[in-house]
Amino acid sequence: MGKVIANMSMSLDGFIADPADGIDELFGWMGSGEVEVPTAVEWATFRMSPASATYMRESMASVGALVTGRHLFDITHGWGGTHPLGVPVVVVTHEPPADKPNPDTFTFADSVETAVKLAREAAGDKNVVIASAKIAQQCLDAGLLDGIHVDLVPVLLGTGVRWFENLATAPARLEGPEVIEGQGVTHLAYSVRRS
Amino acid sequence: MGKVIANMSMSLDGFIADPADGIDELFGWMGSGEVEVPTAVEWATFRMSPASATYMRESMASVGALVTGRHLFDITHGWGGTHPLGVPVVVVTHEPPADKPNPDTFTFADSVETAVKLAREAAGDKNVVIASAKIAQQCLDAGLLDGIHVDLVPVLLGTGVRWFENLATAPARLEGPEVIEGQGVTHLAYSVRRS
C-alpha cells in the first residue's frame, strides 16, 4: 500500500506562502535549473538542478493521487482542469463548487478522513500526496500521515502562511530526514514516527 | 576577520524552545551519540554521532566569542561562570546584573551593535556566534549577520519560542546550505546573502 505524504515548499522560518498567497520566493528552485522536467500539462514545465530533477521525477512517478484544500483549489482555478501531476485530486470542502470541473480528475470530500480514503482508493499502490498546509496538519493530528517531505528554501519570509500553525498533537516526532541537496532548495524527506 | 554566525537548534516548525523555555526535544542529538565531545566545563560533555561530533569540534574550534541575550544568561545562571565553549561572552542587556560574574568571561553591552563590536574584538580572527534567537534577529535586521547555522531537529513542537519571529527586513535571502547529516539532527549552514 502507498504512503500518505505531505509535501510543500517551505521557507526556513516555516512559511509556505506570503501573506497574499504569493509563492515567488518559494518556487524559484522549480524554474531556475538546467534540467527540464515536463508535467502532465502544457502550461507547466519545471526547470531544475540535476539533483532536484531526479528527486522530482521519482516523486512524481510515485504519486497516485493528491489531496488539497478548497483554498488551493480556488486560487489555482482548479489547475485549469488538470493538475500538473496528472493524477486524481480530492478536494476537502464542506461546499463543493456548483460548477464541478472535470469529474475524472476532481472529487470533493467533506473531511480529511474521507478525502484520504478516496485518494488511497484512487492511488492504488502509489502514494497519496497532501498538497495543502491545513489539510496536512489535520492529517497529522488524525494519525493519517506517513511522511512529511519539505522542500526547504533558503529564505526567511518573516510573515505569511505557516505550514504548521495549529497542531493538536504536538510534539510530533519524525524520523530521518533523507536529504537531497538541490540548488536553491534542500529536499528533506521525513517519516512520521508512530508512538 | 571572523564571521558573525547565528547558531541554534530548531524544530522543523521553527521553535528553539518550548513555551517554558524547555529544550529537551531539541538538544537530544547532543547527548545521544557514541562520540564524546568534551567542552570547557566539567558539567557538560556532549555525546554525538560521528558526523555531528566532527562538525561540532570544527565549529567549537572556530568560535572566538559569543553574544547572547539577557534571558539566556539568566536562565542558565551565567553558565555557572564559564560557558561550555570556553570563550568570552557578551550579554546584551539594558541593565547589567548588580552581581557581575567572572569579568574575564562576561561583558555587558546595551545594544547588539556594541555587543557584536566587543565580541569581534575579543574573537580576533575567529568567529562570533550569536546564541540567542532575538539577538540573532536584531543582528540580521542590522546587517551584522554573515551566517545562520541551523541544527534542524526532526520534531514539530507546535508551540514555543520561535527563532525568527519579528524580522524587520524580510525577505532575507540566504545562500547554501552546507549540509551535515547527523543522527536526530541535520546541520544546515547558510550564508546571509548581501543585497
Side-chain angles (χ1 to χ4, degrees):
Chain A
M1 197 165 82
K3 293 182 175 176
V4 179
I5 293 168
N7 176 225
M8 304 288 282
S9 284
M10 184 179 87
S11 68
L12 183 58
D13 53 348
F15 296 102
I16 51 100
D18 69 25
D21 287 322
I23 50 174
D24 287 353
E25 294 282 348
L26 296 173
F27 276 42
W29 64 273
M30 293 185 194
S32 58
E34 64 265 45
V35 181
E36 216 167 80
V37 180
T39 72
V41 297
E42 277 190 22
W43 52 265
T45 296
F46 300 132
R47 299 192 66 86
M48 300 176 171
S49 69
S52 285
T54 302
Y55 177 74
M56 180 62 86
R57 282 201 189 100
E58 287 173 5
S59 295
M60 286 170 71
S62 71
V63 179
L66 281 179
V67 175
T68 75
R70 177 63 185 271
H71 184 61
L72 186 60
F73 174 81
D74 284 345
I75 62 177
T76 62
H77 304 288
W79 294 274
T82 303
H83 191 279
L85 294 187
V87 296
V89 177
V90 183
V91 182
V92 181
T93 180
H94 292 293
E95 278 186 54
D99 182 20
K100 289 190 191 180
N102 198 348
D104 291 342
T105 295
F106 294 99
T107 313
F108 298 87
D110 65 359
S111 73
V112 293
E113 287 81 1
T114 304
V116 168
K117 183 170 171 289
L118 293 173
R120 274 193 179 284
E121 287 168 11
D125 289 339
K126 293 192 168 186
N127 293 335
V128 169
V129 165
I130 314 292
S132 162
K134 279 188 189 162
I135 307 297
Q137 287 177 32
Q138 291 172 28
C139 285
L140 185 62
D141 284 336
L144 294 169
L145 215 55
D146 299 303
I148 295 177
H149 292 191
V150 183
D151 302 317
L152 193 66
V153 177
V155 67
L156 299 170
L157 289 184
T159 181
V161 182
R162 291 189 196 278
W163 189 350
F164 304 105
E165 183 70 81
N166 297 300
L167 290 180
T169 55
R173 298 186 186 91
L174 311 174
E175 304 275 355
E178 185 185 344
V179 181
I180 309 285
E181 297 184 50
Q183 282 166 28
V185 66
T186 309
H187 308 286
L188 303 171
Y190 294 92
S191 301
V192 176
R193 196 188 292 186
R194 306 294 188 170
S195 50
Chain B
M1 198 164 81
K3 294 181 174 174
V4 179
I5 294 168
N7 176 224
M8 304 290 281
S9 285
M10 185 177 88
S11 69
L12 183 59
D13 53 349
F15 296 102
I16 52 99
D18 70 25
D21 287 322
I23 50 174
D24 287 355
E25 294 282 350
L26 297 173
F27 276 42
W29 64 273
M30 293 186 195
S32 57
E34 63 265 43
V35 182
E36 217 167 79
V37 180
T39 71
V41 297
E42 277 190 22
W43 52 265
T45 297
F46 300 133
R47 300 191 65 86
M48 301 175 168
S49 69
S52 286
T54 301
Y55 176 73
M56 179 62 85
R57 283 202 189 99
E58 287 173 5
S59 296
M60 286 170 72
S62 72
V63 180
L66 281 178
V67 175
T68 75
R70 177 62 187 271
H71 184 61
L72 186 59
F73 174 82
D74 284 346
I75 62 177
T76 61
H77 305 287
W79 294 275
T82 303
H83 190 279
L85 294 187
V87 297
V89 177
V90 184
V91 182
V92 181
T93 180
H94 292 293
E95 277 185 54
D99 181 20
K100 289 190 191 178
N102 198 347
D104 292 342
T105 294
F106 294 99
T107 314
F108 298 88
D110 65 359
S111 73
V112 293
E113 287 81 1
T114 305
V116 168
K117 183 171 171 288
L118 292 174
R120 273 193 181 284
E121 288 168 10
D125 289 338
K126 292 192 168 185
N127 293 334
V128 169
V129 165
I130 314 291
S132 161
K134 280 188 188 160
I135 307 295
Q137 288 177 32
Q138 291 172 28
C139 285
L140 185 63
D141 284 337
L144 294 169
L145 215 55
D146 300 302
I148 295 178
H149 291 191
V150 183
D151 302 317
L152 193 67
V153 177
V155 66
L156 299 169
L157 288 185
T159 181
V161 183
R162 289 189 197 279
W163 189 349
F164 304 106
E165 182 70 80
N166 296 298
L167 289 181
T169 56
R173 297 184 187 93
L174 311 174
E175 304 274 357
E178 187 185 343
V179 181
I180 309 285
E181 298 184 52
Q183 282 166 28
V185 67
T186 309
H187 308 286
L188 303 171
Y190 294 93
S191 303
V192 177
R193 195 187 293 186
R194 304 295 187 169
S195 51

